[in-house]
């Protein structure tokens, strides 16, 4: 076996993994681990958090629901309970994930923050180094690092691993609290306050709506053009309509129909300060990962004046912000609803399978398999349905190789 990376300190222990090493214990990691176990393939699942689906459990607001109907969000082999609503709540989805892991027998190793993963070509194996977060926090450095060695590596950390915090001129001059939407739970703490919400995606819109429900005064910063669609049309989920139309029509035509229907249902959003981008909603989702906003009531609050739409921020001042159009907005607090990004390039070394942005270079539907036993799950820009599709393909492919090896032995 080739020597480990000499630039890294020696691991305190080395673990041989008799099967794939799965990095990430969110829906993607749980799905592929469950599919592997169903095919008799053992695996080890590593996660830096102390629970499964830490994004859902620790970094989402209380009022969050699944944006799509539940049947589009089921993980392989287990439907949602019949008593669940069409759009399950955050708590219901977390309960579903816990039940899924228990039923599948998936037991992740928590507090394992992967710092590097590199393919050892001489040995034909993957070397994955992980720090024990709990040991590091206790300053027990001598027992903090483990090197996992195995034949296959499955990257399942997802598209939302790290929060995006943009830099603004004068940010240090601002006297009020600034937080990311990942820290927001509900609007009670902002009651009666003027809150500047930077971002107009699904999170930004819903946070503004939640702030209104708690008698706060939200100002929503709309920097870029964005597609806003009704969550349902004619009593049917908009996503269901899109899926049906794509069976018979090309994507560009489905996009045109969705935009036309959105205008009929929602009216002219330019009057509200919300511009539509030139590309269609599905085109932008597939090409750039820009998810269209599904309106659940925020537009009505904008029209009533309870949510004020403002353009981009030029710079911050002590009591608020100066906008690009020269206006000043006073704000008691700032919430950055600026999204998340993949962190794969930070720890996956020596491989060009992922781009600098952390997505597979090969486009959907073929971006789930790399070389030398490298796989990815949950980077399709197609939500939980894409996660399930990837998980099934990856598990099937690894199972074939696993059966060859075990039958040979």
């Amino acid at each position: 076996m080739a020597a480990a990376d000499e630039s890294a300190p020696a691991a305190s222990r080395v673990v041989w993994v008799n099967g794939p090493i799965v990095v990430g214990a969110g829906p993607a990691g749980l799905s592929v681990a469950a599919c592997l176990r169903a095919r008799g393939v053992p695996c080890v699942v590593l996660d830096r958090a102390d629970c499964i689906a830490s994004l859902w459990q620790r970094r989402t607001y209380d009022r969050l629901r699944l944006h799509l109907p539940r049947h589009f969000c089921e993980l392989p082999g287990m439907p949602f309970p019949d008593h669940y609503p069409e759009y399950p709540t955050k708590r219901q989805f977390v309960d579903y994930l816990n039940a899924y892991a228990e039923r599948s027998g998936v037991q992740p190793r928590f507090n394992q923050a992967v710092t590097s993963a590199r393919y050892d070509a001489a040995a034909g194996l993957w070397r994955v180094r992980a720090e024990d977060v709990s040991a590091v926090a206790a300053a027990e450095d001598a027992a903090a690092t483990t090197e996992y060695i195995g034949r296959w590596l499955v990257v399942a950390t997802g598209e939302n691993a790290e929060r995006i915090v943009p830099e603004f001129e004068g940010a240090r001059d601002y006297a009020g609290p600034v937080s990311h939407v990942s820290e927001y739970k509900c609007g009670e703490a902002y009651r009666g306050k003027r809150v500047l919400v930077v971002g107009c995606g699904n999170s930004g819109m819903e946070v503004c709506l939640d702030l209104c429900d708690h008698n706060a005064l939200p100002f929503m910063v709309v920097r870029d053009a964005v597609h806003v669609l009704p969550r349902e049309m004619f009593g049917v989920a908009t996503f269901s309509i899109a899926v049906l139309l794509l069976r018979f029509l090309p994507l560009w035509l489905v996009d045109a129909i969705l935009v036309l229907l959105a205008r009929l249902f929602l009216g002219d959003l330019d009057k509200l300060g919300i511009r539509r981008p030139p590309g269609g909603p599905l085109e932008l989702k597939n090409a750039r990962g820009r998810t269209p906003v599904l309106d659940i009531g925020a537009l009505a609050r904008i029209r009533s004046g309870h949510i004020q739409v403002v353009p981009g921020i030029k710079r911050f001042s002590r009591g608020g912000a100066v906008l690009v159009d020269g206006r000043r907005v006073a704000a008691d607090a700032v919430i950055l609803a600026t999204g998340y990004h993949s962190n794969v390039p930070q720890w996956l070394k020596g491989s060009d399978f992922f781009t600098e942005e952390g997505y597979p270079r090969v486009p959907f539907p073929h971006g789930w398999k790399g070389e030398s036993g490298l796989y990815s799950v949950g980077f399709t820009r197609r939500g939980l349905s894409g996660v399930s599709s990837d998980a099934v393909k990856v598990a099937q492919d690894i199972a074939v190789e696993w059966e060859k090896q075990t039958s040979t032995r």
Side-chain angles (χ1 to χ4, degrees), residues 252-274:
W252 67 267
L253 183 54
V254 175
D255 268 343
I257 293 173
L258 291 177
V259 171
L260 176 61
L261 291 174
R263 286 183 178 275
L264 292 175
F265 278 85
L266 303 178
D268 185 3
L269 300 186
D270 284 342
K271 297 178 180 179
L272 304 179
I274 301 174

Side-chain angles (χ1 to χ4, degrees), residues 289-348:
R290 295 178 58 182
T291 304
V293 175
L294 297 177
D295 179 53
I296 59 172
L299 290 181
R301 295 297 184 97
I302 293 173
R303 288 191 171 92
S304 67
H306 291 93
I307 300 175
Q308 297 289 327
V309 174
V310 297
I313 297 171
K314 181 178 181 181
R315 61 180 174 85
F316 276 98
S317 60
R318 179 173 178 78
V322 179
L323 307 177
V324 292
D325 61 3
R327 285 184 292 163
R328 291 178 177 269
V329 175
D332 301 306
V334 174
I335 298 174
L336 302 175
T338 45
Y340 301 86
H341 66 84
S342 165
N343 68 358
V344 177
Q346 299 175 21
W347 55 269
L348 182 61

Side-chain angles (χ1 to χ4, degrees), residues 32-57:
V32 71
C35 291
L36 286 166
R37 287 182 60 83
R39 289 165 175 78
V41 182
C43 66
V44 167
V45 181
L46 308 177
D47 197 281
R48 63 184 177 183
D50 61 356
C51 63
I52 66 168
S54 61
L55 174 66
W56 281 88
Q57 297 208 56

Side-chain angles (χ1 to χ4, degrees), residues 28 32 153-157 344 348 353-354 358-362 366-370 373-380 386-387 389-391 393-394 398:
V32 71
L153 173 64
V154 182
V155 179
T157 48
V344 177
L348 182 61
F353 179 66
F354 283 83
Y359 288 89
R361 294 185 185 278
V362 180
H366 306 294
W368 56 274
K369 184 177 181 179
L374 177 64
Y375 297 87
S376 74
V377 177
F379 296 88
T380 64
V387 165
S389 174
D390 279 351
K393 294 175 183 176
V394 169
I398 293 177

Side-chain angles (χ1 to χ4, degrees), residues 197-275:
V197 179
V198 183
C200 59
N202 281 299
S203 294
M205 289 272 195
E206 288 192 39
V207 166
C208 286
L209 186 59
D210 190 61
L211 288 168
C212 285
D213 291 342
H214 290 86
N215 295 321
L217 306 171
F219 294 82
M220 185 173 68
V221 177
V222 179
R223 299 173 296 172
D224 304 311
V226 61
H227 279 293
V228 183
L229 306 175
R231 187 170 69 172
E232 295 182 344
M233 295 186 288
F234 310 110
V236 180
T238 299
F239 187 74
S240 298
I241 294 175
V243 170
L244 176 63
L245 292 175
L246 285 171
R247 295 180 182 177
F248 309 101
L249 302 173
L251 185 142
W252 67 267
L253 183 54
V254 175
D255 268 343
I257 293 173
L258 291 177
V259 171
L260 176 61
L261 291 174
R263 286 183 178 275
L264 292 175
F265 278 85
L266 303 178
D268 185 3
L269 300 186
D270 284 342
K271 297 178 180 179
L272 304 179
I274 301 174
R275 298 173 291 109

Side-chain angles (χ1 to χ4, degrees), residues 101-230:
E102 183 177 356
R103 172 177 171 178
S104 305
V106 178
Q107 297 179 329
R109 299 190 180 191
F110 297 119
N111 297 311
Q112 295 292 292
V114 172
T115 57
S116 71
R118 187 184 299 272
Y119 184 66
D120 186 336
L125 299 168
W126 283 93
R127 295 178 174 271
V128 180
R129 297 177 66 89
E131 289 186 352
D132 187 329
V133 178
S134 59
V136 171
E140 300 172 4
D141 294 341
T145 305
T146 301
E147 184 175 52
Y148 296 89
I149 300 176
R151 172 66 183 84
W152 300 278
L153 173 64
V154 182
V155 179
T157 48
E159 304 164 351
N160 302 313
E162 305 290 345
R163 62 185 187 177
I164 297 174
V165 181
E167 295 183 359
F168 292 97
E169 180 183 348
R172 294 185 178 181
D173 299 330
Y174 177 64
V178 179
S179 60
H180 190 266
V181 70
S182 59
E183 304 169 65
Y184 181 90
K185 297 304 177 186
C186 78
E188 181 61 35
Y190 300 93
R191 187 176 296 274
K193 295 182 179 180
R194 299 163 296 185
V195 184
L196 190 63
V197 179
V198 183
C200 59
N202 281 299
S203 294
M205 289 272 195
E206 288 192 39
V207 166
C208 286
L209 186 59
D210 190 61
L211 288 168
C212 285
D213 291 342
H214 290 86
N215 295 321
L217 306 171
F219 294 82
M220 185 173 68
V221 177
V222 179
R223 299 173 296 172
D224 304 311
V226 61
H227 279 293
V228 183
L229 306 175

